[in-house]
Amino acid sequence: MSQLFILTGAGISAESGLKTFRDSDGLWEGHRVEDVATRDAYARNPRMVHDFYNMRRSQLQTVEPNAAHRALGRLEKEWPGQLTLVTQNVDDLHERGGCSDVWHMHGELLKKRCELCNTVSACREDLSVFSECSQCGHAGGLRPHIVWFGEIPLLMDEIYERVSKADLFVSIGTSGVVYPAAGLAAEAKSQGARTVELNMTDTEVSPCFDELIHGPATESVPAWVDALLSEGL
Ligand code: APR
């Protein structure tokens, strides 16, 4: 059975109303995202980092999946067992768009992790430096289950394994500047996959792709899914 690997980034959620990281001024209350999303920032100013993620978590209640998320949900249903969906996004819009198996390589806003006992659990509430872990009972060790700059993304062994088996590798709405995600297209191509990039514009890694499709994700992704479903891999 042919295998399809899809990597998504912030661009797929942009038309749902979630800001991308690098398209606008890239600032959050005067901070560069790189200065908020790091272990050092958390050690220096945990309250600021909690505020940033609390804001982003509560924002999820105000946004809905868009036509691009729903098209991928349709694809998963039509082609069970053939699709690996890896996202760099920490929102839950793929799940709400109908995808049941989503690999969040940069973590999830709706999960928290205790740094003392390592338990990962659901998180709908705001976190603070006083939050207590329901597993070990300690306060102060709970952090968003997010991969910060300088940390190793989740599921990398499994991701490389799937990339090596991919017949078609598709990148949607990612700028291709954050590694290791940005290196996956070249890896897939070197292992024989056909590669397609869907984005508003060319990116840093566009030369790694056999085909470039430009346009907003809510238009390009449903059209691409329709073509794929009618033509096959
Ligand atoms: N449709 C398609 N693509 C879009 C759209 C849209 N409506 N809007 C923006 N884009 C594209 C932009 O052209 C850009 O290439 O989405 C990309 C967004 O890039 P980034 O903001 O850099 O987001 P991403 O690639 O997901 O960032 C990677 O960096 O900050 C970290 O951990 C964070 O997961 C994130 C990682």
Side-chain angles (χ1 to χ4, degrees), residues 143-207:
R143 59 170 273 184
H145 187 44
I146 299 287
V147 176
W148 287 327
F149 286 97
E151 297 182 325
I152 298 169
L154 308 173
L155 299 165
M156 286 315 296
D157 289 347
E158 292 86 343
I159 288 172
Y160 282 121
E161 160 83 15
R162 291 292 177 94
V163 164
S164 74
K165 292 190 175 139
D167 298 287
L168 177 61
F169 178 99
V170 180
S171 167
I172 303 174
T174 173
S175 57
V177 297
V178 175
Y179 283 81
L184 295 177
E187 182 64 25
K189 196 173 167 65
S190 76
Q191 306 225 27
R194 209 173 93 72
T195 52
V196 181
E197 179 175 65
L198 285 81
N199 201 300
M200 289 292 268
T201 59
D202 277 355
T203 70
E204 295 285 318
V205 291
S206 290

Side-chain angles (χ1 to χ4, degrees), residues 10 41 52 78 83 114-115 171 187 206 216 226:
F52 175 65
E78 295 284 336
L83 169 66
C114 176
E115 289 196 305
S171 167
E187 182 64 25
S206 290
D226 285 344

Side-chain angles (χ1 to χ4, degrees), residues 2 20 38 40 58 69 101 108 110 112 119 122 154 164 170 173-174 188 192 208 214 221-222 227:
S2 300
T20 61
T38 65
D40 277 358
S58 69
H69 299 106
D101 190 14
E108 293 172 69
L110 296 179
K112 62 193 172 209
T119 301
L154 308 173
S164 74
V170 180
T174 173
C208 297
H214 288 161
V221 178

